[in-house]
Amino acid sequence: MAQSLHFLTPATSPTLKTQTFSKKILSKSNLSIRQTRKPLSICAVSSDLESKSVTTKILGSENGKGGVFEVDAVTEVELKENGFRSTRRTKLVCTIGPATCGFEQLEALAVGGMNVARINMCHGTRDWHRSVIQSVRRLNEEKGYAVAIMMDTEGSEIHMGDLGGSTASAKAEDGEIWTFSVRAFDSPLPEHTISVNYEGFAEDVKVGDELLVDGGMVRFEVTEKLGPDVKCRCTDPGLLLPRANLTFWRDGSLVRERNAMLPTISSKDWLDIDFGIAEGVDFIAISFVKSAEVINHLKSYIAARSRDSDIAVIAKIESVDSLKNLKEIIQASDGAMVARGDLGAQIPLEQVPSAQQRIVQTCRQLNKPVIVASQLLESMIEYPTPTRAEVADVSEAVRQRADALMLSGESAMGQFPDKALTVLRSVSLRIEKWWREEKRHEAMELQDIASSYSDSISEEICNSAAKMANNLEVDALFVYTKTGHMASLLSRCRPDCPIFAFTNTTSVRRRLNLQWGLIPFRLDFSDDMENNLNKTFSLLKARGMIKSGDLVIAVSDMLQSIQVMNVP
């Protein structure tokens, strides 16, 4: 079957002149196209478009004859001031807590680059979380953002309860004796006492065991057992935070007795999931996933509870079981989170970096977004600047091409949430720029993941479009997608240029805001690609986001082709 490259030039009449090039042109362009049953064309289109007058609203939306057009306000400013190459590709997730739950604080995070707001069901009441969700939705509606909402379940692993008194944290000093108890306390907790959620805790631990809080941030040695109480001596001092994870080690190995039989999703988690479905969150992150069956079960439950819902399920990789079943879990999920804090409590610390890289690469291969989380800028909970080691850690996650980085305590309860977000943004921009300047295209060969003939064509189109974008040094890739799938395939290729993802639904637009390199727009479009391009060029030029002469490549769900054009 012949393969051809068609260049379509504008003419005074509707007839387009076609010039056919040999297959050698494709090989020179480093362009690989799978032979298909139907001809697969690659079109280069140029035309003169009349710029239409567009009234710009503060909200970043257009409602008129052209339908709806929404764009992130911060991205719009960045494109106007600095151009295509300046846009940040790595996405940023911020955990919302007491330090950032107000509308003004949320807006400051959005201005600073927050793409996803995370609510942690380990803390706070459902009414409190509902108010945060409502504030984020209001922020999107009034200020033109597309901040998605991720709800993180508590999970059924062993963890501490809330600390007694009015303080949100407590300091454990070297040599102090603390009591870990499974008793229910009606009155405030006695001094140096911590409640534990796992009823079998006192039976499973033994004198001499090492107890790790939050992956080793604080360490204790078990010295005595008195019924439901376990007396422990602090061996490594540190800050105790409410609901911190607890693990215990014996003779250098993690103790996994009855705790290993706990269900992944607890009864409280199911109630929280019902809450998340009712509130219409964009992502639900499941803690301590042990197998793909858990993900499949949850997806079926969400589909039954809300047939119109498109909530994405994120698997948190934070246990030995998660690593054993990694590929199956990621295939079943809609994305993954490298929860390094709890993961580091279950495997030796020196294995965490290689585990992180393995998870990131597996997600990339399977076309699932991946978030690197936990202790990225831990010192900024208390200090206004990060350590050099933390900056290096963030840089490595960006260099690995993770989709997103996540702040936890830094933004939830830290003293400098805005500064912590600024550090993530600035480091991401610098490493991404360095990567492009050095032309460090990865040697990673992306495996075929298509499950149908149609998906295979879409995959080949996106792979080829990304290669062309790099070879031709285009300014942007345009993708018109109803489900987000084509945009996701382009993101997987990690092209040098930004990807403008146009979708006609608000929920898909927010979900795409988690994926690397995507700038999601909401746009009413049709199956007529020429009309879509005309409309897009008019709207973007009127806003000053593109200019005549910019080189773009366009692909879509509707038309199986690659179109290369200069903005008229």
Side-chain angles (χ1 to χ4, degrees):
M1 182 180 295
Q3 295 175 335
S4 61
L5 178 62
H6 300 289
F7 285 87
L8 308 183
T9 58
T12 55
S13 66
T15 305
L16 293 170
K17 298 178 181 178
T18 303
Q19 190 173 3
T20 302
F21 288 75
S22 68
K23 185 176 179 180
K24 291 181 180 179
I25 294 293
L26 297 178
S27 61
K28 284 183 179 180
S29 298
N30 223 1
L31 181 60
S32 171
I33 300 180
R34 179 181 297 170
Q35 290 188 348
T36 61
R37 300 185 187 92
K38 298 180 181 179
L40 182 62
S41 65
I42 300 179
C43 306
V45 180
S46 176
S47 61
D48 291 325
L49 303 176
E50 294 182 0
S51 297
K52 299 179 181 178
S53 175
V54 180
T55 302
T56 303
K57 294 185 178 181
I58 296 177
L59 305 188
S61 64
E62 295 295 340
N63 293 281
K65 293 182 180 179
V68 176
F69 179 75
E70 296 176 353
V71 56
D72 185 277
V74 173
T75 300
E76 182 174 357
V77 172
E78 287 183 355
L79 285 170
K80 288 179 179 178
E81 293 181 352
N82 304 312
F84 292 101
R85 299 283 170 172
S86 69
T87 58
R88 172 175 43 84
R89 314 298 199 266
T90 308
K91 301 305 179 74
L92 306 178
V93 182
C94 295
T95 303
I96 307 304
T100 48
C101 60
F103 186 82
E104 292 77 14
Q105 290 94 338
L106 288 170
E107 183 175 4
L109 291 178
V111 170
M114 174 178 67
N115 301 107
V116 180
R118 170 181 176 255
I119 55 174
N120 187 354
M121 302 308 289
C122 288
H123 311 283
T125 64
R126 293 192 184 100
D127 286 340
W128 184 88
H129 291 300
R130 183 180 292 108
S131 68
V132 172
I133 293 171
Q134 291 172 349
S135 294
V136 174
R137 293 286 187 250
R138 176 187 159 202
L139 182 68
N140 289 342
E141 292 172 5
E142 295 183 3
K143 304 293 183 178
Y145 296 103
V147 177
I149 296 172
M150 177 183 295
M151 189 195 79
D152 200 328
T153 63
E154 182 176 311
S156 57
E157 296 295 299
I158 303 175
H159 60 78
M160 295 165 32
D162 291 322
L163 300 174
S166 58
T167 58
S169 61
K171 184 72 178 292
E173 300 290 353
D174 188 29
E176 287 183 344
I177 301 298
W178 286 70
T179 301
F180 291 79
S181 178
V182 299
R183 288 185 292 173
F185 293 91
D186 295 330
S187 57
L189 293 174
E191 188 179 9
H192 289 180
T193 300
I194 296 173
S195 62
V196 180
N197 70 322
Y198 174 43
E199 292 183 357
F201 177 74
E203 299 174 37
D204 280 355
V205 299
K206 295 182 179 180
V207 173
D209 285 351
E210 186 179 30
L211 182 64
L212 274 64
V213 178
D214 201 11
M217 300 304 291
V218 189
R219 293 173 184 259
F220 294 88
E221 180 184 354
V222 178
T223 58
E224 187 179 9
K225 294 171 57 175
L226 298 172
D229 300 335
V230 177
K231 300 286 186 180
C232 300
R233 178 173 55 84
C234 180
T235 56
D236 278 342
L239 196 64
L240 297 170
L241 301 176
R243 304 300 180 97
N245 178 256
L246 296 175
T247 54
F248 48 102
W249 293 65
R250 184 177 303 146
D251 299 326
S253 300
L254 178 71
V255 176
R256 301 174 66 245
E257 297 181 4
R258 283 185 294 171
N259 180 41
M261 303 304 294
L262 291 174
T264 298
I265 303 178
S266 67
S267 56
K268 177 185 180 300
D269 290 339
W270 285 116
L271 293 175
D272 289 338
I273 289 167
D274 286 340
F275 167 80
I277 294 172
E279 294 298 325
V281 300
D282 301 291
F283 303 95
I284 294 179
I286 300 300
S287 299
F288 298 101
V289 176
K290 298 184 177 79
S291 67
E293 287 76 16
V294 173
I295 301 296
N296 292 327
H297 179 45
L298 176 57
K299 284 189 169 183
S300 298
Y301 181 79
I302 293 173
R305 297 283 292 184
S306 179
R307 297 191 182 279
D308 296 329
S309 173
D310 54 0
I311 297 173
V313 176
I314 304 295
K316 295 178 68 176
I317 309 301
E318 52 189 339
S319 68
V320 174
D321 293 315
S322 298
L323 292 176
K324 286 180 179 177
N325 304 309
L326 181 64
K327 186 173 181 180
E328 293 77 12
I329 289 172
I330 292 175
Q331 282 178 323
S333 70
D334 299 306
M337 181 189 297
V338 190
R340 304 181 304 176
D342 290 324
L343 185 61
Q346 298 212 3
I347 64 174
L349 288 176
E350 62 271 16
Q351 294 181 16
V352 173
S354 59
Q356 173 180 312
Q357 183 165 353
R358 177 190 166 202
I359 297 166
V360 171
Q361 290 180 346
T362 303
C363 286
R364 172 101 178 273
Q365 286 286 0
L366 298 176
N367 194 30
K368 303 296 173 76
V370 58
I371 307 163
V372 174
S374 304
Q375 301 168 354
L376 284 173
L377 300 172
E378 188 82 1
S379 69
M380 293 193 73
I381 293 178
E382 298 184 61
Y383 301 101
T385 56
T387 66
R388 281 33 174 190
E390 288 171 337
V391 172
D393 182 36
V394 172
S395 299
E396 175 62 16
V398 176
R399 191 196 62 79
Q400 290 176 1
R401 318 309 286 277
D403 288 86
L405 308 176
M406 191 178 91
L407 295 175
S408 299
E410 302 97 327
S411 59
M413 56 173 288
Q415 298 182 43
F416 309 98
D418 296 341
K419 290 185 177 181
L421 185 60
T422 298
V423 170
L424 286 192
R425 186 181 71 244
S426 60
V427 172
S428 297
L429 284 168
R430 183 64 192 92
I431 297 302
E432 291 165 0
K433 182 180 179 182
W434 166 77
W435 191 277
R436 292 191 299 271
E437 289 174 346
E438 296 294 322
K439 295 296 180 185
R440 295 176 179 271
H441 301 300
E442 305 100 320
M444 178 187 290
E445 291 293 329
L446 298 176
Q447 65 186 44
D448 294 335
I449 57 173
S451 58
S452 67
Y453 178 68
S454 176
D455 285 347
S456 181
I457 293 176
S458 297
E459 188 176 328
E460 290 291 345
I461 287 173
C462 290
N463 290 345
S464 299
K467 289 179 182 178
M468 289 181 67
N470 288 339
N471 292 338
L472 299 176
E473 297 184 351
V474 305
D475 294 298
L477 277 158
F478 283 14
V479 55
Y480 297 83
T481 176
K482 295 180 179 179
T483 64
H485 181 60
M486 288 280 281
S488 180
L489 288 172
L490 281 176
S491 171
R492 178 190 186 220
C493 296
R494 303 296 195 260
D496 283 348
C497 64
I499 305 166
F500 285 29
F502 302 96
T503 184
N504 52 8
T505 58
T506 301
S507 59
V508 172
R509 181 187 173 215
R510 290 196 303 264
R511 265 206 336 273
L512 292 177
N513 215 6
L514 178 64
Q515 295 191 249
W516 189 97
L518 296 184
I519 302 175
F521 297 75
R522 185 184 171 206
L523 174 72
D524 286 340
F525 55 80
S526 65
D527 291 341
D528 184 343
M529 272 298 291
E530 184 177 358
N531 179 63
N532 294 335
L533 289 168
N534 289 348
K535 179 193 298 185
T536 305
F537 287 152
S538 288
L539 291 170
L540 293 179
K541 285 181 70 177
R543 292 174 174 276
M545 298 175 70
I546 62 173
K547 62 183 183 300
S548 296
D550 287 337
L551 182 62
V552 300
I553 291 179
V555 300
S556 72
D557 290 341
M558 297 81 67
L559 183 63
Q560 292 182 336
S561 69
I562 302 173
Q563 296 173 290
V564 186
M565 68 215 77
N566 287 103
V567 176

